[in-house]
C-alpha cells in the first residue's frame, strides 16, 4: 500500500479492496515505525482516523482525492495541528483554521496525516 500511486490507491478504494481507514492506519503505522530514525514528523493529526471513518461512511466519494493521505510541511497552517514553522519559539502555535491550500485538499477528500519538519522558519540555504 505504501508504494501505490494516487491513481492506484483510488482504484483500490473505488472497488472496495481497501478502506480509507485501512489506508490511514497503514500509513500511521509506517510513520510510527520509521520516524524514530528519520525524525521527520513534527505533529501527527489527531483527527486523521476520525476523518478516515467519516469518509468510509460517506455514500459516495468525497472529491477527487477521496481518502488520499497527505503530509504538509510545518509552515502550512492546519487547524488542530501544531504549526511551528520549524521554530521552537512557535511550538505551541495551534492554528484555529486551515490554510487555503489545506482547505482545498480537504474539500477534495484528502486526509492530512501530519506536519513535516523543516528548517527554522522555513529558511533555505542554497549551496554555492
Amino acid at each position: 500500500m505504501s508504494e501505490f500511486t494516487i491513481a492506484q490507491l483510488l482504484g483500490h478504494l473505488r472497488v472496495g479492496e481497501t478502506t480509507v481507514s485501512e489506508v490511514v492506519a497503514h500509513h500511521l503505522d509506517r510513520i510510527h515505525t520509521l520516524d524514530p530514525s528519520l525524525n521527520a514528523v513534527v505533529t501527527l493529526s489527531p483527527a486523521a482516523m476520525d476523518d478516515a471513518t467519516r469518509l468510509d461512511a460517506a455514500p459516495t466519494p468525497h472529491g477527487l482525492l477521496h481518502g488520499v493521505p497527505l503530509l504538509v510541511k510545518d509552515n502550512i497552517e492546519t487547524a488542530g495541528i501544531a504549526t511551528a514553522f520549524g521554530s521552537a519559539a512557535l511550538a505551541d502555535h495551534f492554528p484555529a483554521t486551515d490554510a487555503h491550500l489545506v482547505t482545498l485538499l480537504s474539500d477534495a477528500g484528502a486526509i492530512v496525516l501530519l506536519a513535516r519538519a523543516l528548517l527554522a522558519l522555513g529558511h533555505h540555504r542554497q549551496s554555492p
Side-chain angles (χ1 to χ4, degrees), residues 1-4 9 18-34 44 48-49 52 67 69 71 113-114:
M1 188 175 306
S2 296
E3 303 297 323
F4 289 164
L9 175 61
T18 191
T19 66
V20 178
S21 295
E22 290 170 337
V23 170
V24 169
H26 169 80
H27 284 84
L28 291 174
D29 287 345
R30 241 171 106 74
I31 290 164
H32 288 297
T33 299
L34 297 175
L44 285 172
M49 285 306 300
L71 319 176
L113 297 182
L114 57 86

Side-chain angles (χ1 to χ4, degrees), residues 31-44:
I31 290 164
H32 288 297
T33 299
L34 297 175
D35 193 55
S37 62
L38 298 174
N39 198 30
V41 175
V42 175
T43 308
L44 285 172

Side-chain angles (χ1 to χ4, degrees), residues 86-110:
S87 172
L90 297 171
D92 293 328
H93 174 62
F94 286 84
T97 59
D98 289 331
H100 184 64
L101 170 66
V102 174
T103 299
L104 292 174
L105 291 168
S106 296
D107 287 350

Side-chain angles (χ1 to χ4, degrees), residues 55-109:
L55 289 179
D56 282 334
T60 58
H62 181 83
L64 296 174
L65 296 175
H66 179 89
V68 174
L70 295 178
L71 319 176
V72 296
K73 285 194 174 187
D74 187 37
N75 62 348
I76 301 174
E77 291 192 324
T78 307
I81 299 177
T83 306
F85 301 88
S87 172
L90 297 171
D92 293 328
H93 174 62
F94 286 84
T97 59
D98 289 331
H100 184 64
L101 170 66
V102 174
T103 299
L104 292 174
L105 291 168
S106 296
D107 287 350

